[in-house]
Amino acid sequence: MEPIITSKILLATFIPMVTAALVMATGRSPNLRESCSFVGAVLTFVAVASLAPQILAGGSYAFNLITLYPGISVSFHLDPLGLVFAGTASFLWILASIYCIGYMRGLNEHAQTRFYVCYAVSVGAAMGAAFSSNLFTLYLFYEIVSIFTYPLVMHHQDKEGYAGARKYIIYLMFTSKAFLLPAMALVYVLTGTLDFNMAEIAGGIFPAEADRLLVIVAYLLCLFGFAKAGIMPLHNWLPDAMVAPTPVSALLHAVVVVKVGVFSICRVMLSAFGVDLLDVTGLGMFTAYFVSFTIVVASVIALTQTNLKARLAYSTVSQLSYIVLGVAMLAPHAITGGLLHIANHAFAKITLFFAAGAIYVASGKKDIEELGGLGWRMPVTMIAFGLASLSMIGAPPVSGFVSKWYLALGAMDVNSLVLLGVLLISSLLNAGYFVPIFHKAFFGKPRPGDEATGSLERQPLVLLMVVPLLITGLISVLIGIWPDLFLNTIKLMVGS
């Protein structure tokens, strides 16, 4: 089916940018500023959702904004993979915009206008990445995400904030310049274009006569150039970025930054190199075994972390590689599980970070050892945290189970007991670092001086944080029980 050519596809990227301008213009009025952020988030989701019927019917949208050189353009194309990413990110922005009000006001954070402006532009750039129809456009929006999330990481403007932000920008900008730019040049020389093959995932864009060694080099440059995916050894920026406010951590780990990284890798693997080429060169299984190291090691490191956000950060490093692992196995079940985890991980991980932020605002606690008995004072928060933890572990009926089920089927499809073992071992490690948090909150003893009783969730600003995290926690359960919307969307791509 030929794509529908329409500029309507630009709305999802354009609306967040306009939102950022309106937030800046209304910065002196907090209520108006935050209303602009919320309305912009809603309109962005509506813009994405309005495109869904055509995609679900097997169609697509496309629009060429400008051609810079033959085969190099700023152009957009929406397919099922882009819809999953854009739909998830835009919906979660709505809840994050509500959560941010409670968090930023609850802690009386400074520079809130700058915060909301950068937040909106970052989401807009993520939409642009989701809609990109070629490697050049994807690179352009990938870099915009890096630039506008830098002020968010250094938001506190203290020694730790500057150090974390410096590492963040050095890692991401160095890898994109040192690896992605040469990769684009090499891909263009080999193929004469940077356009993705959106029609099917088998063929890719490389001609049969392309030099295999240069193809392998181009692939490895892409794999390491998208450092936002957090694949070891290019992961160290991610835990250090936890110095940012918790809504930023949620943005980094669930909605935008790391998801742009893994989305970009998945897009390049499926729409530039193609399943067939990755299979015959052995690059698919090489990648699967390579990221398996990240899955296991990051989980082991998470076990050693006592700071709640740090443990969640290493959990993210591990969980992101599930997505790459699924695509790299090249089997339909595995690819389905990997792409499904883009959405499933997003809803669960944003719940976990929302909960961490609500705990900090309500009680001032950051360390896991301080959480004894807190579950009885913040039951909704900790129950939602428990549900999201089950999703990360992969326990039914929460959404993460569906992802890991398909990944396990994929591992069996490719006859790899090693990869199946990685999935099982990592799930046990997930349980090892999540279950103690929940147990501590409900069955641990409060520290001396923390014996106070009474709900901490009834404070108005805390309530603004609790409601979004409850919604995302419940959605994690719902899409575990009824995963058909995401599954059917992904199968439109994988089935082709």
Side-chain angles (χ1 to χ4, degrees), residues 183-333:
M184 282 197 294
L186 192 52
V187 170
Y188 188 78
V189 168
L190 291 172
T191 66
T193 183
L194 295 178
D195 291 341
F196 294 131
N197 178 2
M198 299 288 204
E200 46 93 26
I201 65 173
I205 62 174
F206 288 84
E209 64 272 14
D211 185 277
R212 286 295 168 82
L213 178 59
L214 293 180
V215 170
I216 292 171
V217 171
Y219 176 81
L220 294 177
L221 288 172
C222 288
L223 183 65
F224 292 109
F226 291 114
K228 288 187 179 76
I231 298 171
M232 290 182 173
L234 299 174
H235 71 289
N236 266 331
W237 62 270
L238 205 155
D240 285 9
M242 291 302 94
V243 296
T246 301
V248 177
S249 301
L251 179 81
L252 290 173
H253 289 259
V255 184
V256 173
V257 179
V258 295
K259 285 295 160 43
V260 166
V262 291
F263 170 84
S264 298
I265 289 177
C266 293
R267 174 63 80 197
V268 168
M269 291 177 72
L270 296 174
S271 301
F273 290 88
V275 169
D276 292 345
L277 181 58
L278 294 177
D279 186 27
V280 297
T281 57
L283 288 170
M285 291 307 292
F286 161 78
T287 305
Y289 287 114
F290 185 78
V291 299
S292 293
F293 177 82
T294 299
I295 291 173
V296 175
V297 173
S299 294
V300 172
I301 297 174
L303 283 168
T304 69
Q305 304 300 306
T306 58
N307 180 279
L308 181 55
K309 284 178 66 176
R311 184 170 292 191
L312 296 180
Y314 279 102
S315 167
T316 297
V317 174
S318 175
Q319 293 284 331
L320 291 173
S321 284
Y322 281 118
I323 299 169
V324 181
L325 171 65
V327 175
M329 282 192 278
L330 306 179
H333 282 129

Side-chain angles (χ1 to χ4, degrees), residues 120-142:
V121 174
S122 299
V123 174
M127 295 297 105
F131 286 55
S132 295
S133 71
N134 59 59
L135 190 54
F136 177 78
T137 308
L138 181 61
Y139 173 82
L140 177 67
F141 285 106
Y142 180 92

